[in-house]
Amino acid sequence: METYRPHLAYKGSRTYVHGTTLYQSILKGAAETGLGTPDGKIRIDLHKQLHRQADFVYLTPADDAGAPDDAVAAFTLGIGPDTVKGWVAPAGDEVTQSEPYDEDQILARAKITDQAISLKNAPGFDPIEVTTCLAVKIHNTLSPPPAGQKWLLARVTLAQPFRDEDVRDISLQVTRFVGGRFSETVIRRAGEKIGSFNFLLGAVSA
């Protein structure tokens, strides 16, 4: 078992650790702990909102430990021939710092057509930030959330980790809403499917 504890910050005006931060930290932690750089299939399930610093725990093949009840996320990473599983759980002080996150710069370059949103380039932003921002925008457009709720990222599924070149011609299409509270969004690069997001309509906890 390997554990990585980065210093987490909120993004923009949010009062919870953003899913993009968890994605970035999960991938970085795999490399920092010596497990290797993820290069295969990725699945990240986001269960709860995070307001504290956290342990990112990576299991080795010999480990049979289970995630604690307060885990906020679980993940599976393809690293070379191996599949590494793990979780994220609160461990430490409350998050107190925020970092700038100007999504308007991304949205200014985006175009909505029917149930899809596309973008050709967004310099200065990580691909997970670009795609998540676009996904939230198309959700808010197609199914505006009621007061006090918002569309929250619940699952990331990718054929391989995002690459910078992915957002040079990226599009996201909402393929279904389930009960008005769940959704599935396909992510395509230059027309080719590279993954999907699932979103959940929920309240932001303090």
Side-chain angles (χ1 to χ4, degrees):
M1 182 184 297
E2 301 288 346
T3 301
Y4 173 63
R5 186 183 287 189
H7 180 75
L8 301 173
Y10 297 140
K11 285 187 174 178
S13 61
R14 290 171 178 82
T15 57
Y16 60 93
V17 178
H18 201 225
T20 62
T21 300
L22 294 177
Y23 171 93
Q24 292 166 328
S25 299
I26 288 169
L27 268 62
K28 184 176 181 181
E32 291 285 334
T33 56
L35 294 171
T37 301
D39 56 3
K41 293 181 179 179
I42 290 178
R43 174 167 164 168
I44 301 173
D45 291 287
L46 307 171
H47 308 310
K48 305 173 186 177
Q49 293 166 29
L50 177 65
H51 307 277
R52 294 166 52 194
Q53 301 299 326
D55 283 340
F56 291 68
V57 178
Y58 304 79
L59 301 180
T60 64
D63 295 322
D64 61 359
D69 291 340
D70 62 349
V72 299
F75 57 83
T76 303
L77 308 174
I79 303 177
D82 300 321
T83 298
V84 174
K85 296 184 178 182
W87 64 80
V88 182
D93 297 334
E94 295 283 330
V95 174
T96 58
Q97 294 181 320
S98 296
E99 57 187 25
Y101 189 46
D102 187 1
E103 295 164 285
D104 288 342
Q105 293 186 39
I106 299 172
L107 297 176
R109 301 167 180 267
K111 178 181 179 181
I112 294 177
T113 305
D114 297 325
Q115 290 188 281
I117 187 168
S118 59
L119 178 146
K120 293 295 184 183
N121 198 16
F125 289 89
D126 189 291
I128 186 65
E129 295 176 331
V130 172
T131 49
T132 302
C133 175
L134 295 178
V136 171
K137 177 63 176 179
I138 192 65
H139 277 74
N140 289 343
T141 300
L142 298 176
S143 183
Q149 295 192 314
K150 65 188 302 183
W151 286 105
L152 299 167
L153 185 61
R155 178 179 295 166
V156 178
T157 307
L158 298 171
Q160 63 182 36
F162 282 121
R163 300 172 297 177
D164 288 343
E165 55 265 33
D166 288 340
V167 292
R168 292 175 188 161
D169 186 1
I170 196 80
S171 66
L172 290 88
Q173 180 181 9
V174 179
T175 54
R176 62 173 177 160
F177 286 104
V178 180
R181 299 190 61 83
F182 303 93
S183 72
E184 182 174 279
T185 300
V186 172
I187 308 165
R188 294 185 175 90
R189 179 191 63 236
E192 178 183 355
K193 181 179 177 180
I194 60 173
S196 65
F197 287 150
N198 291 91
F199 276 78
L200 166 69
L201 187 63
V204 176
S205 61

